[in-house]
């Protein structure tokens, strides 16, 4: 059963219950107004015509009416009239009989001195025998019958019952009030049903249509979020899910594009050395290397190219594992100043062969501990310095290493006075296989993965890496590591143990 049908049935039930409440309330209202529980049925019979008497009163009135038609003179017998009056008094009504302009009998139940003056005139045709009249603020309902006595005199017999003013007003207005109340209840339920339908069913329909869009693979839409109720929260959660799915699909498409690009880049970087190796081997087979010197040269070139291939494969493997978060980090406290001293000493003599001076810029006077993976941190420094080495173009080639500290972080700066990086290339230098020169070749050395690997390693340390460069002047590369303070040293070391 749909929610719409359930709502319709529930509001129909509410409408029926409301109408029953109206009927019961009207009944109780009548009892309160008349003081007579037996008068409920008579009270509601009157809608377009008046029926002022109860069944008992009506029965006595019919007997008196019969006497007036057949034995009118008996309506002058005081004893007989007293007997009828006694019967009427038991049901809280009274008797009044008149002859011409004289009063024949008046019940003590009525007890109204001005009664005779307010009685209706004679109507021997008896066109209207039931009605009401009021004397001041007191209301009376009656049934009358006009007749002639045997001598031709006009006479009237009245059965009169006093009604409360409130009861009379209620009697006249109750049908209007009942229909008005029923109309209000019906309209209120219709409006409430419409409101609930608009605020519940329509948003759910929109949600269902959105689910159909997703099922068909269409994520290029958005839900209008207006309400803040549970349905609105559901729509908001669904919209967030749609956004996440859309982002996931876009990421998958981007990964697929990156995969294709990676395969293309790998193919390009592998093809060049393999082609060279193949060419030198063919030269050896064809007898081009016909002297020992040429043979040694060809073999050394083949070995060098093979070493480049081995290094490229190693870097590809490492980058792939770093990108997939599959490389464990063994964090430990490291004195960054002493670590950089060792790196400078290790690389100084190698770089001097290329006429590059590696030296300290700003060196702290005492050791500073950071939380790092020593092996991977060394790989980062070597990759950065190796990348700087490939683009040195000044007569005096200098690479400087500086350390800057703050309360929580240590920033290492490696600055060179090389060719610099074009501004349009700066945002891309940490991308895999990216080289700043327009032609994709390895003439300057490197695989295009060094800085991408460095970026992955520093991010794995929880730090950040960035670059500043001025074309023709040089490049500064900064990376940050979390500092171990005296207060937080033990806590930081504990975290490193958990990552072993």
């Amino acid at each position: 059963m749909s929610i719409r049908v359930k709502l319709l049935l529930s509001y129909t039930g509410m409408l029926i219950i409301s109408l029953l409440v109206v009927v019961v309330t009207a009944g109780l209202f009548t009892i309160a107004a008349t003081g007579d529980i037996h008068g409920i049925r008579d009270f509601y019979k009157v809608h377009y015509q008046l029926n002022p008497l109860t069944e008992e009163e009506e029965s006595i009135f019919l007997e008196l009416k019969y006497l007036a038609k057949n034995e009118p003179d008996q309506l002058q017998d005081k004893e007989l009239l007293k007997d009828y009056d006694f019967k009427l008094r038991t049901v809280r009504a009274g008797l009044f009989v008149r002859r011409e302009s004289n009063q024949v009998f008046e019940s003590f139940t009525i007890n109204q001195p001005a009664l005779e003056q307010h009685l209706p005139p004679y109507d021997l045709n008896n066109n209207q025998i039931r009605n009401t009249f009021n004397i001041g603020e007191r209301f009376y309902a009656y049934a009358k019958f006009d007749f002639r006595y045997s001598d031709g005199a006009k006479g009237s017999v009245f059965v009169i019952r006093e009604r409360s003013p409130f009861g009379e007003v209620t009697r006249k207005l109750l049908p209007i009030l009942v229909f008005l109340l029923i109309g209000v209840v019906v309209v209120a339920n219709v409006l409430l049903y419409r409101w609930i339908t608009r605020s519940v069913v329509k948003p759910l329909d929109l949600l269902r249509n959105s689910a159909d869009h997703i099922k068909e693979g269409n994520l290029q839409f958005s839900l209008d979020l207006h309400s803040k109720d549970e349905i609105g929260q559901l729509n908001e959660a669904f919209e967030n899910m749609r956004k996440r799915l859309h982002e996931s699909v876009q990421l998958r498409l981007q990964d697929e594009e990156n995969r294709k690009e990676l395969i293309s880049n790998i193919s390009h970087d592998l093809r060049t050395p393999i082609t060279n190796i193949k060419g030198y081997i063919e030269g050896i087979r064809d007898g081009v290397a016909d002297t020992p010197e040429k043979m040694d040269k060809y073999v050394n070139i083949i070995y060098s190219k093979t070493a480049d291939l081995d290094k490229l494969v190693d870097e590809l493997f490492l980058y792939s594992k770093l990108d997939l978060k599959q490389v464990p980090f063994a964090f430990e406290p490291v004195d960054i100043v002493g670590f950089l001293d060792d790196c400078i000493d290790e690389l100084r003599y190698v770089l001097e062969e290329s006429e590059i001076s590696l030296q300290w810029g700003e060196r702290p006077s005492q050791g500073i501990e950071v939380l790092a993976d020593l092996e991977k941190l060394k790989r980062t420094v070597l990759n950065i310095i190796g990348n700087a080495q490939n683009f040195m173009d000044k007569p005096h080639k200098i690479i400087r290493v500086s350390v800057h500290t703050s309360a929580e972080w240590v920033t290492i700066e490696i600055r060179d006075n090389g060719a610099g990086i074009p501004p349009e290339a700066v945002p891309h230098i940490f991308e895999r296989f990216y080289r700043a020169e327009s032609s994709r070749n390895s003439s300057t050395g490197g695989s295009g993965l060094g800085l991408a690997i460095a970026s992955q390693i520093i991010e794995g340390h929880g730090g950040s890496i960035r670059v500043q460069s001025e074309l023709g002047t040089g490049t500064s590369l900064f990376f940050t590591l979390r500092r171990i303070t005296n207060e937080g040293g033990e806590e930081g070391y504990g975290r490193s143990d958990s990552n072993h």
Side-chain angles (χ1 to χ4, degrees):
M1 185 181 296
S2 67
I3 294 179
R4 191 186 301 272
V5 174
K6 289 180 180 179
L7 287 174
L8 181 60
L9 292 178
S10 64
Y11 281 109
T12 302
M14 289 177 59
L15 179 60
I16 294 173
I17 292 172
S18 300
L19 294 178
L20 290 176
V21 170
V22 169
V23 172
V24 173
T25 303
L28 296 176
F29 194 61
T30 302
I31 295 172
T34 62
D36 183 8
I37 193 170
H38 298 291
I40 295 177
R41 181 179 61 192
D42 299 324
F43 195 84
Y44 281 101
K45 278 184 180 180
V46 183
H47 187 86
Y48 295 105
Q49 66 178 21
L50 181 65
N51 184 8
L53 304 181
T54 63
E55 287 186 0
E56 294 86 348
E57 295 164 352
E58 187 69 23
S59 177
I60 296 172
F61 173 71
L62 291 176
E63 291 182 16
L64 293 170
K65 181 179 177 182
Y66 179 81
L67 289 175
K69 286 183 176 181
N70 299 289
E71 300 179 44
D73 291 337
Q74 288 203 33
L75 293 178
Q76 297 181 89
D77 185 348
K78 295 293 182 68
E79 295 300 324
L80 178 63
L81 294 177
K82 286 180 180 179
D83 289 339
Y84 278 111
D85 182 54
F86 178 76
K87 294 178 183 179
L88 289 171
R89 275 189 292 172
T90 60
V91 292
R92 293 166 48 178
L95 178 64
F96 186 91
V97 180
R98 68 181 176 182
R99 177 186 170 91
E100 294 293 343
S101 59
N102 299 319
Q103 174 183 311
V104 176
F105 183 86
E106 180 180 0
S107 173
F108 292 107
T109 304
I110 302 174
N111 191 24
Q112 178 56 260
L115 177 63
E116 189 174 358
Q117 289 79 13
H118 290 82
L119 292 176
Y122 286 101
D123 177 18
L124 295 176
N125 293 323
N126 290 304
N127 293 319
Q128 186 174 20
I129 63 175
R130 293 173 175 81
N131 208 334
T132 62
F133 63 90
N134 66 293
I135 303 174
E137 295 182 356
R138 299 177 67 179
F139 284 79
Y140 298 88
Y142 67 86
K144 77 174 181 70
F145 186 75
D146 295 326
F147 61 93
R148 288 187 182 273
Y149 288 96
S150 59
D151 59 2
K154 292 185 291 186
S156 298
V157 58
F158 291 85
V159 176
I160 302 174
R161 179 184 181 91
E162 183 175 4
R163 302 277 188 181
S164 70
F166 183 66
E168 290 299 317
V169 172
T170 302
R171 177 186 59 76
K172 293 179 179 180
L173 295 182
L174 186 60
I176 299 174
L177 293 176
V178 167
F179 283 112
L180 182 62
L181 184 57
I182 290 173
V184 169
V185 170
V186 171
V187 171
N189 277 272
V190 169
L191 293 177
L192 187 60
Y193 173 75
R194 179 177 174 81
W195 176 70
I196 291 295
T197 300
R198 290 174 62 89
S199 60
V200 176
V201 176
K202 287 191 175 180
L204 290 179
D205 285 341
L206 179 62
L207 202 60
R208 184 194 63 194
N209 294 333
S210 300
D212 290 338
H213 284 307
I214 292 178
K215 181 176 67 175
E216 294 170 0
N218 176 23
L219 295 171
Q220 301 289 337
F221 67 92
S222 62
L223 288 172
D224 294 329
L225 306 176
H226 298 299
S227 61
K228 299 298 181 181
D229 56 8
E230 291 80 0
I231 299 295
Q233 293 171 4
L234 177 61
N235 280 344
E236 183 176 0
F238 192 90
E239 174 67 6
N240 291 335
M241 181 190 72
R242 183 199 65 80
K243 289 179 179 178
R244 294 291 296 273
L245 282 174
H246 182 64
E247 292 172 0
S248 177
V249 170
Q250 294 300 315
L251 183 61
R252 182 173 61 82
L253 294 175
Q254 184 63 42
D255 286 343
E256 181 67 17
E257 188 66 26
N258 291 342
R259 185 184 66 82
K260 293 178 180 178
E261 182 183 355
L262 179 62
I263 293 174
S264 174
N265 291 334
I266 292 174
S267 301
H268 181 278
D269 281 60
L270 291 177
R271 185 180 296 113
T272 301
I274 289 175
T275 301
N276 291 334
I277 292 172
K278 182 180 178 182
Y280 283 107
I281 291 176
E282 288 178 349
I284 294 174
R285 290 178 60 184
D286 294 341
V288 175
D290 52 0
T291 65
E293 292 79 9
K294 285 186 178 182
M295 180 64 72
D296 288 340
K297 179 181 178 182
Y298 276 38
V299 170
N300 289 334
I301 292 174
I302 291 172
Y303 177 80
S304 174
K305 297 299 181 181
T306 306
D308 290 343
L309 276 176
D310 183 63
K311 181 180 178 182
L312 176 60
V313 171
D314 178 63
E315 289 187 339
L316 281 171
F317 183 67
L318 176 60
Y319 177 82
S320 176
K321 292 181 68 176
L322 286 169
D323 193 40
L324 295 174
K325 313 298 182 188
Q326 293 179 350
V327 178
F329 282 77
F331 293 111
E332 59 181 299
V334 175
D335 177 10
I336 192 63
V337 178
F339 167 78
L340 292 174
D341 278 334
D342 294 340
C343 289
I344 290 173
D345 290 341
E346 180 180 339
L347 295 172
R348 177 179 290 121
Y349 299 106
V350 176
L351 294 177
E352 282 180 355
E353 294 179 0
S354 302
E355 299 181 351
I356 299 174
S357 173
L358 178 61
Q359 56 189 249
W360 272 102
E362 296 182 22
R363 181 185 186 280
S365 58
Q366 57 184 7
I368 301 171
E369 283 196 334
V370 298
L371 197 63
D373 183 315
L374 193 59
E375 179 183 351
K376 295 180 179 60
L377 184 60
K378 183 175 181 180
R379 180 101 182 218
T380 299
V381 173
L382 294 178
N383 283 2
I384 294 173
I385 293 177
N387 186 77
Q389 177 185 358
N390 293 331
F391 298 95
M392 304 295 284
D393 63 346
K394 304 293 190 302
H396 302 287
K397 305 176 180 66
I398 300 174
I399 298 177
R400 288 189 175 90
V401 179
S402 300
V403 175
H404 313 282
T405 61
S406 65
E408 296 184 7
W409 299 93
V410 175
T411 302
I412 295 90
E413 177 188 3
I414 299 177
R415 177 172 182 79
D416 64 66
N417 65 342
I421 303 172
E424 65 275 9
V426 169
H428 306 287
I429 66 167
F430 297 111
E431 296 176 5
R432 58 194 177 193
F433 294 108
Y434 184 81
R435 296 188 181 94
E437 65 271 14
S438 57
S439 61
R440 287 211 74 262
N441 60 67
S442 54
S443 60
T444 56
S447 63
L449 287 171
L451 293 184
I453 291 174
S455 176
Q456 292 277 10
I457 291 174
I458 295 302
E459 288 178 5
H461 280 72
S464 61
I465 188 168
R466 60 188 176 87
V467 66
Q468 289 181 355
S469 183
E470 185 176 349
L471 196 61
T473 301
T475 300
S476 291
L477 199 145
F478 304 85
F479 63 90
T480 60
L481 298 170
R482 188 174 298 277
R483 183 176 182 179
I484 298 178
T485 61
N486 293 331
E487 295 80 2
E490 293 183 359
E491 180 183 358
Y493 191 76
R495 284 195 300 271
S496 71
D497 286 345
S498 66
N499 287 294
H500 273 279

